[in-house]
Amino acid sequence: MNITRRQALALGAGAAVVTMTALPRLSLADTDAVKAAIDAMAGGATPEVANVTLTAPEIAENGNTVPITVAIDSPMTDDDYVTDVTILAAGNPSPGVATFHFTPMSGSAEATTRMRLAKTQDVIAVAKTSTGKVYMDRKTVKVTIGGCGG
């Protein structure tokens, strides 16, 4: 079977079109998705910008592994303790990055993880207590090399 140059080019172009249309497109979380995630965590309460310390680098040279630490000032007693902490990345395709669960037996409400960031964006930590209070902190992380395909 002989294939002409014109047929080979047509096959290559057709394969390229099929590949490009079949690949999932990189989409970023919109502000509504981030707000919905915060509202779901808060359960109707208005988050206060207090008691949460989010530690993140100001500049991340590589978005593949960005270290994040969140610590919440809480007595961690049976009557008043942090139950959940959620980390959100506002510019990632899916804003939810991690959720940590605590009990009074945890002793302190602190967690460290590494996350991928697609681009320069806000990282948000939302903490919920057993008394129904919700706290949050936000940091902007500048990413020089994207971790989610960028």
Side-chain angles (χ1 to χ4, degrees):
M1 176 175 172
N2 292 332
I3 297 178
T4 67
R5 186 172 32 185
R6 202 174 275 162
Q7 290 170 329
L9 285 172
L11 284 173
V17 168
V18 168
T19 302
M20 293 306 289
T21 57
L23 290 176
R25 304 232 187 264
L26 177 64
S27 63
L28 302 177
D30 59 12
T31 55
D32 292 339
V34 174
K35 184 170 175 11
I38 292 171
D39 290 345
M41 178 70 175
T46 301
E48 298 176 39
V49 181
N51 296 346
V52 177
T53 303
L54 178 63
T55 306
E58 188 174 317
I59 297 174
E61 291 183 16
N62 187 343
N64 283 322
T65 57
V66 179
I68 303 291
T69 300
V70 62
I72 298 87
D73 184 21
S74 171
M76 297 302 283
T77 63
D78 288 336
D79 297 330
D80 186 9
Y81 62 96
V82 174
T83 59
D84 304 292
V85 175
T86 295
I87 308 288
L88 304 167
N92 277 1
S94 176
V97 174
T99 299
F100 302 97
H101 304 285
F102 299 97
T103 68
M105 292 177 38
S106 299
S108 66
E110 184 172 340
T112 299
T113 190
R114 292 184 180 273
M115 60 192 286
R116 294 180 82 172
L117 295 177
K119 63 175 188 166
T120 297
Q121 61 189 285
D122 285 345
V123 176
I124 304 162
V126 183
K128 185 175 182 180
T129 67
S130 61
T131 61
K133 292 184 180 180
V134 180
Y135 304 107
M136 68 182 284
D137 193 13
R138 175 186 307 249
K139 298 285 188 236
T140 299
V141 178
K142 297 176 185 169
V143 178
T144 58
I145 300 174
C148 297

